[in-house]
Amino acid sequence: MEHLEKYPHSLLVKFLGVHRINISHRRKKYFIVMQSVFYPDDRINARYDIKGCEVSRWTDPAPEGSQVIVVLKDLNFKGQYITLDQQRPWLLRQVEIDTSFLQRLNVLDYSLLVGHQPLHQDERHQGLSFATLIMRTKKSVITGSSPTHAGMPTVPGVVPEEDSTLLVSEMDGGTGSCSIAESRGGSDPGSALSGRTCTEQPAGSVTDSMVLRDFQAQNRRLLPNFKNPLHVIDGPEHRYFVGIIDIFTVYSFKKRLEHWWKRLRHPGQAFSTVSPTSYCLRLCQWVQDHTK
């Protein structure tokens, strides 16, 4: 919870509940419910479960015309790229943040889920109107970021309607320059949207500067106006669904034995059961190599 509060745009999947089923004369069944990364899935045309290794990382695709949904793996993704352009630095940084967190918990064997679908023509290169900016900003800022709502529960993706200041930064291709868009209560709507570099802020905008620094320190981005904004990233041609799942496997003594057994069985090959440090670095490298 502390990690998600610190990084509200984390790619770690959200868990909604832990449940139990009691069946007469049988053992109790426990299960968890997690938020779907692939939602809404009506147009997704490919899904991948990525671990950054090779051994047992191929799945036969569904036959042509089949309605069966098959989640493919690392080797199926060979030769492909996640094309994000300006959003790429954000993704690299967030994967690094989340996997470093899991490394500190001594966790391994988690997966990066990746799905994609082509954008419709009217979804490509959309102009950022003021109304669209306001809607997307509301999804990008949590209630806890406003001092006036400090006593209210913080829910990712929610901002009160009466908030008078909406602050957004868009990193310019990772160069460090950014623009600020703000809406002031009572101001002229025609002049409410203004762009200026961070270094050109007037002396009276100290509060805005602090919010912007927090926004950047938490690695937030301008979320899409979409049903599943935390796991959706739009590139120039495709919409990507990205999330990290299966985060409960600890590098126990049993897993260490499994590591040594796989080293003997698969010499010189990359397999899933490695130390949390190696696992973290390897998955980050995979994202670095397969994005552009």
Side-chain angles (χ1 to χ4, degrees), residues 6-105:
K6 186 174 182 180
Y7 300 103
H9 294 179
S10 169
L11 293 172
L12 297 181
V13 72
K14 309 302 184 295
F15 293 94
L16 309 180
V18 182
H19 304 272
R20 181 184 69 196
I21 297 178
N22 295 326
I23 304 175
S24 299
H25 310 298
R26 296 189 183 184
R27 295 181 61 183
K28 298 173 183 177
K29 299 290 185 180
Y30 295 86
F31 64 94
I32 60 174
V33 177
M34 69 180 184
Q35 181 180 350
S36 175
V37 173
F38 298 144
Y39 173 79
D41 64 353
D42 52 319
R43 287 170 47 208
I44 296 178
N45 54 16
R47 301 164 175 81
Y48 297 88
D49 179 300
I50 302 297
K51 292 183 181 289
C53 57
E54 302 169 350
V55 175
S56 301
R57 301 305 298 165
W58 168 268
T59 295
D60 291 332
E64 185 93 18
S66 172
Q67 298 300 312
V68 176
I69 295 177
V70 176
V71 179
L72 305 172
K73 297 180 180 179
D74 300 64
L75 294 178
N76 300 94
F77 200 86
K78 189 174 182 180
Q80 301 184 62
Y81 292 92
I82 301 171
T83 305
L84 298 175
D85 286 351
Q86 292 188 1
Q87 298 261 34
R88 181 175 183 263
W90 178 88
L91 178 63
L92 295 178
R93 175 65 179 142
Q94 193 58 54
V95 170
E96 178 186 349
I97 289 170
D98 289 335
T99 56
S100 295
F101 167 68
L102 296 176
Q103 176 190 338
R104 293 195 299 273
L105 295 181

Side-chain angles (χ1 to χ4, degrees), residues 51-191:
K51 292 183 181 289
C53 57
E54 302 169 350
V55 175
S56 301
R57 301 305 298 165
W58 168 268
T59 295
D60 291 332
E64 185 93 18
S66 172
Q67 298 300 312
V68 176
I69 295 177
V70 176
V71 179
L72 305 172
K73 297 180 180 179
D74 300 64
L75 294 178
N76 300 94
F77 200 86
K78 189 174 182 180
Q80 301 184 62
Y81 292 92
I82 301 171
T83 305
L84 298 175
D85 286 351
Q86 292 188 1
Q87 298 261 34
R88 181 175 183 263
W90 178 88
L91 178 63
L92 295 178
R93 175 65 179 142
Q94 193 58 54
V95 170
E96 178 186 349
I97 289 170
D98 289 335
T99 56
S100 295
F101 167 68
L102 296 176
Q103 176 190 338
R104 293 195 299 273
L105 295 181
N106 207 34
V107 166
L108 74 158
D109 219 21
Y110 42 90
S111 296
L112 181 72
L113 286 188
V114 178
H116 62 73
Q117 66 187 41
L119 290 175
H120 287 315
Q121 193 62 39
D122 60 353
E123 294 174 324
R124 301 179 185 182
H125 314 295
Q126 296 186 52
L128 196 61
S129 68
F130 184 66
T132 301
L133 177 65
I134 295 298
M135 291 298 297
R136 292 181 64 181
T137 304
K138 286 182 178 182
K139 291 180 179 289
S140 307
V141 184
I142 61 173
T143 56
S145 64
S146 172
T148 60
H149 302 282
M152 297 178 62
T154 59
V155 180
V158 177
V159 134
E161 295 290 340
E162 64 270 23
D163 255 10
S164 62
T165 301
L166 295 174
L167 183 64
V168 172
S169 73
E170 289 234 76
M171 301 309 294
D172 182 14
T175 61
S177 63
C178 59
S179 62
I180 297 176
E182 52 185 9
S183 170
R184 296 288 185 188
S187 63
D188 178 11
S191 61

Side-chain angles (χ1 to χ4, degrees), residues 98-282:
D98 289 335
T99 56
S100 295
F101 167 68
L102 296 176
Q103 176 190 338
R104 293 195 299 273
L105 295 181
N106 207 34
V107 166
L108 74 158
D109 219 21
Y110 42 90
S111 296
L112 181 72
L113 286 188
V114 178
H116 62 73
Q117 66 187 41
L119 290 175
H120 287 315
Q121 193 62 39
D122 60 353
E123 294 174 324
R124 301 179 185 182
H125 314 295
Q126 296 186 52
L128 196 61
S129 68
F130 184 66
T132 301
L133 177 65
I134 295 298
M135 291 298 297
R136 292 181 64 181
T137 304
K138 286 182 178 182
K139 291 180 179 289
S140 307
V141 184
I142 61 173
T143 56
S145 64
S146 172
T148 60
H149 302 282
M152 297 178 62
T154 59
V155 180
V158 177
V159 134
E161 295 290 340
E162 64 270 23
D163 255 10
S164 62
T165 301
L166 295 174
L167 183 64
V168 172
S169 73
E170 289 234 76
M171 301 309 294
D172 182 14
T175 61
S177 63
C178 59
S179 62
I180 297 176
E182 52 185 9
S183 170
R184 296 288 185 188
S187 63
D188 178 11
S191 61
L193 184 62
S194 63
R196 61 181 183 268
T197 63
C198 295
T199 56
E200 294 172 348
Q201 297 180 43
S205 60
V206 175
T207 302
D208 289 353
S209 299
M210 293 174 61
V211 175
L212 177 58
R213 284 198 297 269
D214 289 343
F215 196 97
Q216 293 170 325
Q218 292 182 316
N219 198 47
R220 299 196 202 186
R221 61 188 172 101
L222 190 61
L223 295 175
N225 188 21
F226 201 68
K227 293 181 180 179
N228 190 18
L230 292 176
H231 292 292
V232 172
I233 311 174
D234 280 356
E237 305 292 333
H238 288 82
R239 173 165 293 151
Y240 296 94
F241 297 76
V242 184
I244 297 175
I245 66 167
D246 297 343
I247 59 175
F248 295 132
T249 302
V250 176
Y251 197 45
S252 60
F253 178 72
K254 181 179 178 180
K255 281 292 178 182
R256 292 173 190 270
L257 290 179
E258 183 180 337
H259 166 76
W260 287 107
W261 178 79
K262 287 186 176 180
R263 281 193 65 176
L264 294 174
R265 182 169 183 180
H266 306 288
Q269 292 182 276
F271 47 84
S272 62
T273 311
V274 295
S275 72
T277 299
S278 299
Y279 201 96
C280 164
L281 294 174
R282 188 173 65 189

